Amino acid sequence: MDGNILCNIIATQQVHEAFGGVVPELASRAHMQNIVPVVAESFEKANINIEEIDAFAFTQAPGLIGSLLVGAQFAKSMAIATNKPVIAVHHMQAHVLANLITPNPPQFPFLCLTVSGGHTQIVLCKAPLDMEILGQTIDDAAGEAFDKTAKILGLPYPGGPLVDKYAALGNPTAFKFAEPQIPELNFSFSGFKTSILYFVQKQVAANPNFIQENLADLCASAQYTIIQILLKKLKKAVKLTNVNTICLAGGVSANTGLRNALIDYGKRHKWQIHIPDFEYCTDNAGMIAITGYYKYLAGDFSSLSVSADARSNW
Ligand code: KG4
Ligand code: ZN
């Protein structure tokens, strides 16, 4: 065991698209259908058999309870069958440690901005298993802000990647949307969401073609606002901690505007920027494996009575 990822199989759930968001019951059913073929495929791709596994790591929290239970029960069953230990992994810690899946990992300590469909956090990471949440969202996540923007503009779910695509063709300062004034390092996106909703509703009432005529500018301006909200807090975190190695995590780190803004700002202010390969930014097995690896080295195993938890108890 050396911390190398042998394979990282992802089963994408298309089933939610028609509903405009994730349907928990459908997600857990899809997990049940996918887990055996995905695990079988991973053994094949990694070219190993079950006896060669040293421990079974699984996501324990947070998330949709039905889906978490499928993974937890499956990992525990494999552990019992092979008489090997289980390792419970926290999803958000794993997003941060995805940054270590590379031959050139960032130096400790680093700050990680985790931006996904469910979370927005700034974490100070001093060692693989020594992390501190410095700030997080008090309402919506950054990914939700992208997805809700897309919904208001009539784009399909998940809309983040589409907002990104149209934003590249628009003017980021064409429209101005509300930026929250939240103390310390916490985030809020609800005011932004309301401001874009009311603005678009008002414009469409006067001109029914407003969205079609301004789609690129609307996407560019919304994306610009979200990026400003994120960057302002990162700058504040760097100032407070004196740590200027910055990592990204979560699905929103795929956003071209965010990546460019961060790389550009980093160059000008001598920040070391580290962004994992895209397959390790969105939810993935590799990040659970790398966290399991460090927990294994630390002897941090779980009892078989450990159960999945929907809420974050980090
Ligand atoms: O980390 P992730 O795959 O799943 C969790 O939520 O845990 O993140 C998904 C989120 C969605 O909100 C999606 O719209 C957003 O990441 N996303 C993007 C882009 N690609 C994915 N948001 C903006 N620009 C993108 N290119
Ligand atoms: Zn995630």
Side-chain angles (χ1 to χ4, degrees), residues 29 40 62 83 112 140 145 210:
R29 283 189 211 186
N83 203 21
C112 183
D140 290 350
F210 176 76

Side-chain angles (χ1 to χ4, degrees), residues 91-274:
H91 185 83
M92 300 313 294
Q93 186 178 24
H95 266 305
V96 176
L97 294 186
N99 281 281
L100 303 183
I101 308 176
T102 166
N104 301 307
Q107 300 278 315
F108 294 103
F110 61 77
L111 292 171
C112 183
L113 173 69
T114 308
V115 272
S116 74
H119 296 273
T120 304
Q121 289 185 335
I122 296 181
V123 172
L124 172 63
C125 186
K126 294 171 231 168
L129 301 179
D130 185 1
M131 299 183 192
E132 188 188 337
I133 300 170
L134 301 182
Q136 54 192 329
T137 183
I138 57 166
D139 42 55
D140 290 350
E144 269 175 297
F146 272 105
D147 294 339
K148 285 177 180 169
T149 296
K151 198 168 179 181
I152 292 166
L153 301 179
L155 301 171
Y157 174 88
L162 288 170
V163 173
D164 190 358
K165 190 178 126 191
Y166 290 115
L169 311 169
N171 171 8
T173 54
F175 306 108
K176 201 159 167 42
F177 302 118
E179 274 187 45
Q181 305 302 323
I182 302 293
E184 291 156 3
L185 294 174
N186 289 329
F187 298 90
S188 165
F189 289 97
S190 63
F192 159 77
K193 183 184 67 188
T194 314
S195 117
I196 187 166
L197 175 68
Y198 288 175
F199 174 76
V200 169
Q201 278 177 346
K202 200 172 151 200
Q203 298 299 323
V204 168
N207 168 15
N209 293 326
F210 176 76
I211 295 178
Q212 289 88 320
E213 288 167 8
N214 297 281
L215 187 59
D217 283 350
L218 284 164
C219 288
S221 303
Q223 178 169 300
Y224 178 77
T225 311
I226 296 171
I227 294 170
Q228 289 312 307
I229 295 172
L230 296 171
L231 270 185
K232 274 185 190 162
K233 293 290 177 169
L234 256 186
K235 289 177 202 171
K236 204 170 176 180
V238 170
K239 218 170 169 180
L240 281 169
T241 58
N242 247 335
V243 171
N244 65 357
T245 300
I246 313 293
C247 295
L248 263 187
V252 180
S253 53
N255 185 266
T256 328
L258 177 61
R259 294 170 90 99
N260 290 343
L262 195 57
I263 290 168
D264 184 51
Y265 190 87
K267 263 193 199 137
R268 284 186 286 121
H269 294 85
K270 300 206 166 29
W271 287 4
Q272 303 296 319
I273 308 293
H274 190 275

